[in-house]
């Protein structure tokens, strides 16, 4: 619909303040045309209806005695009655119609100042380009020098904008970008954190102004800290989950194992064979259940001897069962994170189960009467891969879910739903 | 024959502005006592009840009860054609399918009339029982509008808690939490600036900001707004129209979702 038609049909509500910028955006017309149409409409309505017009005035501040901010460019929206004063006050003053409303309209007015949206976008683009090259900093320094003498500028007049003010954020962008770069260097230790951090850091430096990028950097730092802290938790939690997911036979073991944790630790100290893998939690878990996780024959032999010793002490005691289980797991290798899921009383049955689930394993009874399960290296590879992936996959999910859930819990409180009015009133 | 004349078109404009956001169409029930309108919004969460007394009109004549279903958007368009100071007259014949709205300038030099088609609307009039409200708050309408507008930025819902200390409006969302407390004013020079709380027992109710903000479109009609609350009963937001009647909005509260 054209502006003229809209005006003729009284579709534009002049009870509210009608901004020319709104019309420009809505009807996609040049300013001149909008201005002419609006003037014509206002002219036609003028005797019957009184309109309150506002004009955008642009000009330079005149030199005054003692004035330090003379020559500065001013923009202001002024009423029609004040327009001559402003035009007289400013040098090279220009004025354009900015808004029209019915004088004493019944509705609340629109915003006094509302710049055009698409123009804002253009300005933003210009800023980005100007921010990168070095010459951009020069005007800002000039601006700084000027502002030294022109500090009270903002308080004096309703000045809408000043160019130096726009350039200053661009200037500050550079140090922020350098700040963005520095934190990742510090936090090289965790590859995960680094990778996750690199993305926000780079985007922030490229797109945002100085103060924004500074804060994003800080936020990223804190996030990284969280990322560092959480993986260990996540790994334990994921392993816990993993353990919980074991068949029912294994469910009984965790409480027992927790009780046995201290003796296991003592054993660990005594056996120099045991190696601590980088994932401490997994080591502890296997210690609780089965001790070390080495596939080397020598180590296995050493463990066997100890197990034999423990078996000699008391075959029915739990430590002995632990030891037997430990041997089984040992033979399964360190990549074998699946804990043994059986009581020591029936190792043969357990092995059958394992055979069922993992045909790649080779189980046999050694000379000493212990059942040994060994995984073939070729077939052993796929299952651990699955196991490793699954905890990681679950862990981040847990991590992501838990913080929002707590946040929501605090924010929402009790969930509510909107009732219908019909449930309160009956039909007549 | 129905004929109702108002001295200032601006009042009718304001009334239309106050209801057209919630209602697309509504039936004006005209009788010798005046004009009444009752309608629910599309989602049946709120209800609008407008009463314009016959003695508030400059001239009022209604020979037979008449129900005029109108598209409020169309009516608002017609009313935009009136100047604020114009006299406005609504006319309809008995059993007519159109209504004539006439504007006359103050000096009688300009007379314009608009004929609008009437609609047959399914009327669902609800019986509104009289309620003894636990809390009745009277406060400046502008203040209420401001509060609703501000809190809508924080959450879709606003909690209104009325105690003897005062009335508290709260909203909590992703941005944070907002609390606005209004205490009862001691002595105020201007009556329209007073906050008066009549409380039988404390009430805390949750309402959708969206509807409250729609209600505040009636702010230009009155300097004061009255909020009447009772547990598990719709909130009543009432704007008095001076010498003419009132507009009441009923809003069903949000209730705890037991399913989750």
């Amino acid at each position: 619909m054209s502006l003229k038609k809209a005006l003729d049909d009284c579709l534009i509500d002049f009870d509210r303040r009608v901004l020319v910028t709104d019309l420009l955006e809505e009807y996609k017309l040049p300013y001149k045309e909008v201005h002419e149409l609006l003037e014509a409409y206002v002219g036609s309505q003028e005797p019957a209806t009184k309109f309150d017009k506002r004009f955008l005035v642009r000009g330079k501040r005149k030199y005054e005695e003692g004035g330090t901010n003379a020559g500065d460019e001013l923009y202001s929206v002024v009423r029609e009655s004040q327009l001559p004063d402003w035009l007289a006050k400013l040098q090279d003053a220009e004025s354009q119609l900015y808004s029209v409303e019915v004088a004493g309209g019944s509705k609340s007015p629109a915003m006094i100042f509302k710049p055009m949206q698409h123009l804002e976008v253009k300005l933003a683009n210009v800023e980005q380009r100007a921010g990168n090259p070095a010459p951009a900093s020069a005007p800002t320094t000039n601006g700084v020098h000027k502002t030294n003498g022109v500090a009270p500028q903002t308080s004096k007049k309703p000045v809408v904008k000043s160019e130096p003010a726009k350039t200053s954020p661009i200037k500050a962008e550079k140090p922020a970008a350098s700040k963005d770069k520095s934190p990742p260097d510090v936090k090289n230790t965790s590859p995960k954190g680094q990778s996750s951090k690199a993305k926000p850091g780079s985007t922030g430096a490229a797109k945002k102004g100085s103060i924004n990028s500074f804060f994003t950097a800080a936020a990223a730092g804190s996030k990284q800290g969280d990322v560092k802290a959480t993986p260990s938790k996540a790994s334990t939690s994921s392993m816990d989950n993993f353990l919980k997911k074991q068949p029912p036979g294994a469910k009984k073991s965790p409480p027992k194992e927790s009780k046995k944790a201290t003796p296991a630790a003592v054993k660990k100290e005594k056996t120099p064979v045991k190696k601590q893998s980088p994932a401490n939690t997994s080591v502890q878990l296997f210690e609780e259940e089965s001790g070390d996780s080495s596939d080397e024959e020598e180590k296995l032999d050493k463990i066997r001897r100890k197990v034999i010793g423990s078996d000699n002490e008391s075959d029915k005691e739990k430590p002995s069962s632990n030891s037997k289980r430990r041997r089984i797991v040992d033979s399964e290798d360190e990549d074998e994170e699946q804990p043994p899921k059986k009581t020591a009383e029936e190792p043969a049955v357990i092995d059958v189960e394992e055979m069922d689930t993992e045909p790649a394993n080779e189980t046999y009874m050694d000379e000493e009467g212990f059942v040994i399960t060994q995984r073939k290296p070729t077939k052993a590879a796929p299952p651990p891969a699955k196991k490793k992936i699954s905890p990681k996959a679950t862990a981040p999910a847990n991590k992501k879910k838990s913080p929002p859930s707590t946040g929501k819990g605090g924010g929402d409180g009790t969930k509510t739903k909107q009732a219908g009015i019909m449930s309160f009133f009956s039909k007549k | 024959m129905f004929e109702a004349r108002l001295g200032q078109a601006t009042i009718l404009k304001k009334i239309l502005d106050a209801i057209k956001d919630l209602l697309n169409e509504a039936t004006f029930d005209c009788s010798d006592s005046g004009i009444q309108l009752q309608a629910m919004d599309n989602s049946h969460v709120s209800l609008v009840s407008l009463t314009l007394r016959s003695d508030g009109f400059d001239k009022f004549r209604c020979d037979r009860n008449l129900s005029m279903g109108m598209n409020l958007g169309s009516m608002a368009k017609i009313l935009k054609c009136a100047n604020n100071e114009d006299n406005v007259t609504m006319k309809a014949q008995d059993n007519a399918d159109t209504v004539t709205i006439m504007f006359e300038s103050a000096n009688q030099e300009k007379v314009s009339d608009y004929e609008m088609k009437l609609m047959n609307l399914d009327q669902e009039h609800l019986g509104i029982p009289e309620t003894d409200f636990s809390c009745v708050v009277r406060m400046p309408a502008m203040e209420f509008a401001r509060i609703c507008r501000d809190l809508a930025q924080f959450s879709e819902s606003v909690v209104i808690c009325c105690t003897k200390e005062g009335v508290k409006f709260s909203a909590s969302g992703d941005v944070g939490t907002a609390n606005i407390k209004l205490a009862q004013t001691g002595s105020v020079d201007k009556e329209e600036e007073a906050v008066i709380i009549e409380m039988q027992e404390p009430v805390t109710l949750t309402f959708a900001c969206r509807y409250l903000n729609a209600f505040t479109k009636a702010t230009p009609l009155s300097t004061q707004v009255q909020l009447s609350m009772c547990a598990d009963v719709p909130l009543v937001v009432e704007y008095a129209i001076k010498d003419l009647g009132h507009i009441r909005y009923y809003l069903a509260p949000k209730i705890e979702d037991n399913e989750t």
Side-chain angles (χ1 to χ4, degrees):
Chain A
M1 181 182 286
S2 70
L3 176 59
K4 190 168 188 327
K5 193 169 186 314
L7 288 169
D8 290 343
D9 293 349
C10 301
L11 292 180
I12 298 172
D13 183 7
F14 283 92
D15 281 348
R16 290 182 195 277
R17 189 168 295 152
V18 176
L19 302 184
V20 174
T21 50
D22 282 345
L23 298 178
L24 288 172
E25 285 188 331
E26 189 166 346
Y27 296 97
K28 313 289 183 208
L29 294 172
Y31 175 81
K32 194 182 170 189
E33 197 174 333
V34 170
H35 179 255
E36 282 172 359
L37 285 169
L38 209 53
E39 283 287 2
Y41 176 79
V42 168
S44 68
Q45 302 281 324
E46 196 83 85
T49 313
K50 198 177 176 187
F51 285 92
D52 183 8
K53 287 189 244 175
R54 283 161 200 263
F55 290 83
L56 179 68
V57 180
R58 193 195 69 159
K60 287 182 179 174
R61 208 184 281 271
K62 278 185 182 175
Y63 286 91
E64 295 170 9
E65 286 182 13
T68 51
N69 50 0
D72 286 349
E73 204 166 20
L74 276 179
Y75 291 84
S76 184
V77 178
V78 300
R79 284 169 177 265
E80 191 176 16
S81 57
Q82 297 168 333
L83 183 62
D85 293 343
W86 275 87
L87 292 176
K89 236 186 257 182
L90 300 174
Q91 232 175 11
D92 303 333
E94 292 175 33
S95 70
Q96 289 178 314
L97 183 64
Y98 185 72
S99 70
V100 180
E101 70 179 310
V102 173
S106 62
K107 295 177 187 173
S108 56
M111 292 167 64
I112 290 177
F113 180 68
K114 190 181 174 190
M116 290 184 70
Q117 299 259 321
H118 71 272
L119 281 181
E120 272 193 333
V121 171
K122 281 180 188 170
L123 284 170
N125 291 337
V126 170
E127 270 184 19
Q128 276 189 356
R129 288 172 193 167
N132 291 332
S137 61
T140 58
T141 53
N142 289 339
V144 170
H145 288 308
K146 278 183 183 176
T147 51
N148 286 337
V150 194
Q153 182 188 3
T154 52
S155 62
K156 282 190 175 179
K157 300 271 178 179
V159 179
V160 179
K161 57 161 261 182
S162 63
E163 290 182 355
K166 278 195 174 179
T167 51
S168 59
I170 301 167
K171 183 190 173 187
E173 194 174 349
K174 290 180 181 176
S178 63
K179 279 179 189 174
D180 283 346
K181 286 174 186 174
S182 61
D185 296 337
V186 177
K187 293 151 188 172
N188 279 340
T189 49
S190 74
K192 286 180 187 174
Q194 198 178 10
S195 63
S196 64
K197 221 197 259 174
K199 290 174 187 173
S202 60
T203 53
K207 286 182 182 174
K208 296 184 178 178
S210 64
I211 196 73
N212 287 341
S213 56
F214 176 79
F215 283 126
T216 50
S222 65
K223 277 181 188 173
Q224 196 183 32
D226 293 341
V227 172
K228 279 182 184 175
T230 45
S232 62
K233 290 178 186 173
S235 63
T236 54
S237 64
S238 64
M239 286 304 292
D240 288 341
N241 293 338
F242 175 74
L243 289 170
K244 283 172 190 170
K245 284 173 190 170
Q246 295 307 308
K251 283 182 182 174
K252 292 176 183 177
S253 57
K256 290 178 186 176
E257 285 157 10
S258 63
K259 289 176 187 174
K260 295 167 196 170
T262 46
V266 173
K267 282 180 185 175
K268 184 187 172 187
E269 287 174 6
K270 288 179 181 176
T271 56
V273 185
K274 293 173 185 172
K275 289 179 181 175
Q276 286 210 341
S277 70
N280 289 333
T281 53
S282 64
V283 170
Q284 285 167 358
L285 284 166
F286 281 107
E287 278 173 359
E288 287 172 2
E289 293 217 347
S290 58
D292 200 356
S293 58
S294 167
D295 59 344
E296 293 176 14
E297 285 299 324
E298 294 173 10
K299 292 171 186 175
L300 189 60
D301 288 340
K302 286 178 184 176
I303 294 166
R304 275 179 197 162
R305 282 166 209 154
K306 288 182 180 177
V307 169
I308 292 162
S310 64
D311 283 347
N312 291 339
E313 287 168 13
S314 61
D315 281 351
K316 291 176 184 176
E317 281 178 3
K318 286 170 187 173
S320 66
S321 66
N322 255 358
S323 306
K324 286 180 183 176
R325 274 183 273 147
R326 180 190 301 148
R327 294 184 67 219
I328 293 163
V329 174
D330 285 345
S331 63
E332 284 175 358
D333 256 343
E334 59 213 32
D335 57 349
E336 175 67 52
E337 291 181 4
Q338 185 179 4
K341 30 190 156 175
K342 41 265 148 188
T343 58
E345 293 164 8
E346 295 177 346
V349 176
I350 293 157
D351 289 335
V352 170
E353 285 173 8
E354 286 188 352
M355 286 289 284
D356 290 340
T357 55
E358 299 172 52
N361 291 349
E362 189 181 12
T363 307
Y364 59 91
M365 190 173 286
D366 67 357
E367 319 94 5
E368 292 164 339
F370 292 109
V371 177
I372 307 291
T373 303
Q374 273 190 324
R375 176 165 297 190
K376 289 180 181 176
T378 52
K379 291 178 183 177
K386 283 179 189 172
K387 286 168 193 170
K388 280 181 182 174
I389 289 164
S390 61
K392 281 182 184 175
T394 55
N398 290 339
K399 264 190 275 171
K400 283 175 186 173
K401 282 175 186 173
S402 58
S405 68
T406 54
K408 280 177 187 173
D412 287 346
T414 55
K415 285 188 178 180
T416 56
K417 67 177 179 183
Q418 178 63 60
I421 198 81
M422 298 277 277
S423 55
F424 296 96
F425 301 135
S426 57
K427 285 183 187 177
K428 270 186 181 173
Chain B
M1 173 75 177
F2 164 74
E3 185 176 349
R5 179 187 164 105
L6 265 177
Q8 286 191 318
T10 183
I11 294 176
L12 205 53
K13 282 186 179 189
K14 288 174 186 176
I15 290 171
L16 255 290
D17 284 341
I19 60 176
K20 71 180 168 65
D21 284 2
L22 280 169
L23 311 173
N24 297 325
E25 296 151 351
T27 301
F28 289 80
D29 295 311
C30 307
S31 66
D32 56 358
S33 62
I35 301 174
Q36 288 202 314
L37 177 151
Q38 193 204 72
M40 284 181 286
D41 72 301
N42 286 336
S43 54
H44 289 203
V45 169
S46 66
L47 181 132
V48 181
S49 174
L50 171 72
T51 299
L52 304 175
R53 293 188 307 271
S54 58
D55 56 13
F57 289 88
D58 291 355
K59 180 183 177 185
F60 192 89
R61 174 187 168 189
C62 185
D63 299 339
R64 294 174 64 179
N65 287 0
L66 182 67
S67 291
M68 298 189 296
M70 293 188 196
N71 181 305
L72 298 183
S74 304
M75 193 177 179
K77 279 183 184 174
I78 291 173
L79 287 174
K80 274 185 186 175
C81 302
N83 290 319
N84 290 339
E85 311 306 323
D86 285 356
N87 291 321
V88 57
T89 307
M90 293 171 69
K91 279 185 197 174
Q93 298 297 325
D94 295 339
N95 300 320
D97 56 358
T98 58
V99 61
T100 302
I101 301 171
M102 192 168 72
F103 306 125
E104 294 167 280
S105 63
N107 53 13
Q108 304 288 325
E109 287 176 350
K110 180 183 174 188
V111 178
S112 46
D113 61 86
Y114 300 84
E115 197 173 78
M116 189 176 72
K117 290 176 186 169
L118 295 176
M119 308 166 79
N120 280 322
L121 301 174
D122 285 334
Q123 298 176 4
E124 263 190 332
H125 277 273
L126 300 178
I128 301 169
E130 285 198 8
T131 310
D132 288 331
F133 289 98
S134 304
C135 291
V136 177
V137 179
R138 275 190 288 277
M139 61 186 289
M142 285 289 287
E143 189 64 60
F144 180 61
R146 176 70 193 256
I147 288 169
C148 293
R149 193 193 69 189
D150 290 349
L151 294 190
Q153 299 179 87
F154 288 83
S155 175
E156 291 176 353
S157 306
V158 60
V159 179
I160 305 178
C161 176
C162 188
T163 61
K164 62 182 177 183
E165 281 81 27
V167 59
K168 186 173 85 170
F169 301 84
S170 312
S172 177
D174 294 337
V175 176
T177 306
N179 292 298
I180 299 170
K181 288 178 196 169
L182 290 180
Q184 183 160 260
T185 47
S187 59
V188 185
D189 296 337
K190 293 179 183 173
E191 201 175 299
E192 61 267 23
E193 291 175 1
V195 177
I196 299 162
I197 299 168
E198 293 168 13
M199 195 202 75
Q200 312 298 325
E201 58 185 63
V203 175
T204 301
L205 290 168
T206 306
F207 301 101
C209 276
R210 186 185 139 221
Y211 293 97
L212 292 176
N213 273 313
F215 299 168
T216 59
K217 301 289 182 192
T219 302
L221 285 168
S222 181
T223 54
Q224 284 256 310
V225 62
Q226 177 174 298
L227 312 177
S228 305
M229 288 172 286
C230 192
D232 302 323
V233 164
L235 164 78
V236 185
V237 180
E238 179 177 336
Y239 294 87
I241 306 169
K242 196 180 178 187
D243 300 330
L244 189 58
H246 61 253
I247 182 165
R248 284 188 187 138
Y249 300 95
Y250 296 82
L251 176 59
K254 286 192 166 187
I255 55 175
E256 280 189 26
D257 193 358
N258 295 326
E259 290 172 9
T260 55

